[in-house]
Amino acid sequence: MLIIGESLNATRKAVRAAVIDHDVDFMQVLAKEQVACGANMLDVNAAVAGRKEVEDLPWLVQVVQEVVDVPLVLDSADPDALIAAIKVHRGRPMVNSISAESDKIEKLVPVVSGADCSVIVLCMDDGGIPIDVEGRLKAGRAAIEPLLKAGKKKEDLYVDPLVMAISVDANAANTTLEVIRSLGEGEFTGVNITGGLSNISFGMPGRSLLNRVFMTMAINMGLNSCITDVRDQALMSTIYASLSLFEQSACRDYIKKFRQGLLVL
Ligand code: THG
């Protein structure tokens, strides 16, 4: 399971303020904390309205890489910010994200196929996020095909089914789970599957319980990566427990974590 720490995201108030103040210490403490909690990669997003993301994202990448060795997930809707961030990143980044939207295909397929990186593929197109499973898979296919044609390998693709809120669409969980299952078979076999799952509980009480149950179900369907709050020990415990049911090595990890007192039971 490739676990991506989500917390260095400027949609969060404290991080937004730290982007505006160029608060190096805040960013580095949060980076180190997430790695200590078990993050395999860190998502970085520096998008603040009215600022130059094309400067802020590379700044954030450099500041974080000064203190942690895990590679970063470059999170931006702006292709130019992604390109600038790839340039300064040491090692092998993940680009978050590309989709079947025509501007993304045009600008980013050449960039990610020319760079040594993995890439998150969102299941959406020029029409937005399709409501049903078939639409999601069609959008996913429309983004995956040009990437493979340009030389990207399936194992470097992390397809994101896109998680909607059950408070808005009662089918949201089912749709995501079905997309995950379908991505594991047929033409898509071999791609990785990731996503930010916490959206599932938006607008609901007791969000962490819903997030944990949904995480378990998504792992059962074939999710092998996630963008999540690694500082949430109960959620991390749920991930380790879910994985332990399927794999001997994960089972050993689970026992080790238990003995270290790291699990919320
Ligand atoms: N897929 C992909 N990338 C993504 C997402 C996704 N990047 C962003 C997001 N979704 C995942 N990252 C976060 C980061 C922070 C928070 C949630 C998801 C977060 N949210 C607070 C909450 O939900 O309560 C509110 C924000 C705040 O603190 O102000 O912290 O799905 N490819």
Side-chain angles (χ1 to χ4, degrees), residues 19 22 46-48 50-63 76 78 80-85 88:
V19 170
H22 269 218
V48 177
R51 288 185 58 88
K52 290 182 180 156
E53 195 181 350
V54 68
E55 292 170 12
D56 288 335
L57 189 59
W59 168 79
L60 183 54
V61 166
Q62 284 171 308
V63 159
S76 174
D78 176 0
D80 293 322
L82 290 172
I83 292 165
V88 302

Side-chain angles (χ1 to χ4, degrees), residues 173-185 193 214-224 242 246:
N174 234 316
T175 301
T176 301
L177 295 170
E178 195 53 35
V179 172
I180 294 172
R181 200 178 59 74
S182 303
L183 287 171
E185 13 182 84
I193 304 164
F214 187 53
M215 177 68 76
T216 300
M217 293 179 140
I219 288 173
N220 184 43
M221 286 302 192
L223 187 85
N224 70 342
S242 303
F246 295 103

Side-chain angles (χ1 to χ4, degrees), residues 6-7 9 11-13 16 43 45 75 96-97 120 122 160 162-163 194-199 202 207 227:
E6 73 178 10
S7 301
N9 193 312
T11 57
R12 299 179 59 228
K13 255 193 196 147
R16 189 183 322 138
D43 188 86
N45 178 304
D75 187 346
N96 185 10
S97 56
I120 295 181
L122 304 184
D160 183 341
L162 291 171
V163 176
T194 195
L197 299 195
S198 63
N199 224 20
F202 185 80
R207 290 189 65 180
I227 307 167

Side-chain angles (χ1 to χ4, degrees), residues 3 5 17 19 42 50 59-60 74 105 113 127 129 148 152 154 157-158 181-182 188 201 211 216 223-224 227 248:
I3 302 174
V19 170
L42 297 180
W59 168 79
L60 183 54
L74 312 171
I105 295 286
S113 57
I129 302 174
L148 294 178
K152 227 57 207 167
K154 272 184 170 178
L157 305 184
Y158 286 77
R181 200 178 59 74
S182 303
F188 298 112
S201 63
N211 291 344
T216 300
L223 187 85
N224 70 342
I227 307 167
Q248 206 167 31

Side-chain angles (χ1 to χ4, degrees), residues 21-265:
D21 299 339
H22 269 218
D23 187 340
V24 172
D25 196 52
F26 178 93
M27 299 301 192
Q28 293 183 334
V29 167
L30 189 46
K32 286 187 279 192
E33 188 185 355
Q34 290 184 88
V35 172
C37 288
N40 306 121
M41 294 182 86
L42 297 180
D43 188 86
V44 287
N45 178 304
V48 177
R51 288 185 58 88
K52 290 182 180 156
E53 195 181 350
V54 68
E55 292 170 12
D56 288 335
L57 189 59
W59 168 79
L60 183 54
V61 166
Q62 284 171 308
V63 159
V64 170
Q65 287 205 301
E66 276 174 22
V67 294
V68 297
D69 287 328
V70 300
L72 306 184
V73 178
L74 312 171
D75 187 346
S76 174
D78 176 0
D80 293 322
L82 290 172
I83 292 165
I86 291 169
K87 281 191 184 136
V88 302
H89 186 281
R90 289 182 287 104
R92 195 164 195 274
M94 187 182 289
V95 173
N96 185 10
S97 56
I98 194 166
S99 69
E101 294 163 291
S102 23
D103 59 323
K104 294 283 168 72
I105 295 286
E106 269 166 43
K107 275 203 149 179
L108 288 176
V109 170
V111 172
V112 299
S113 57
D116 187 21
C117 65
S118 51
V119 56
I120 295 181
V121 178
L122 304 184
C123 292
M124 64 180 292
D125 55 24
D126 287 326
I129 302 174
I131 190 78
D132 61 337
V133 175
E134 269 320 303
R136 296 282 173 94
L137 293 172
K138 183 168 173 236
R141 186 181 305 119
I144 291 168
E145 275 172 356
L147 286 165
L148 294 178
K149 213 174 262 176
K152 227 57 207 167
K153 298 200 172 89
K154 272 184 170 178
E155 69 231 43
D156 290 328
L157 305 184
Y158 286 77
V159 183
D160 183 341
L162 291 171
V163 176
M164 309 303 281
I166 49 169
S167 60
V168 176
D169 170 9
N171 281 321
N174 234 316
T175 301
T176 301
L177 295 170
E178 195 53 35
V179 172
I180 294 172
R181 200 178 59 74
S182 303
L183 287 171
E185 13 182 84
E187 60 182 315
F188 298 112
T189 310
V191 302
N192 300 284
I193 304 164
T194 195
L197 299 195
S198 63
N199 224 20
I200 198 70
S201 63
F202 185 80
M204 292 286 288
R207 290 189 65 180
S208 66
L209 174 60
L210 293 167
N211 291 344
R212 294 197 308 272
V213 171
F214 187 53
M215 177 68 76
T216 300
M217 293 179 140
I219 288 173
N220 184 43
M221 286 302 192
L223 187 85
N224 70 342
S225 169
C226 59
I227 307 167
T228 197
D229 181 1
V230 295
R231 297 180 298 166
D232 180 340
Q233 218 183 349
L235 181 68
M236 292 295 273
S237 301
T238 299
I239 292 174
Y240 299 135
S242 303
L243 294 170
S244 78
L245 301 180
F246 295 103
E247 237 191 311
Q248 206 167 31
S249 68
C251 202
R252 280 193 294 269
D253 287 346
Y254 176 85
I255 294 166
K256 200 169 129 195
K257 292 245 161 40
F258 175 85
R259 288 186 178 146
Q260 292 171 328
L262 293 175
L263 299 181
V264 175
L265 304 178

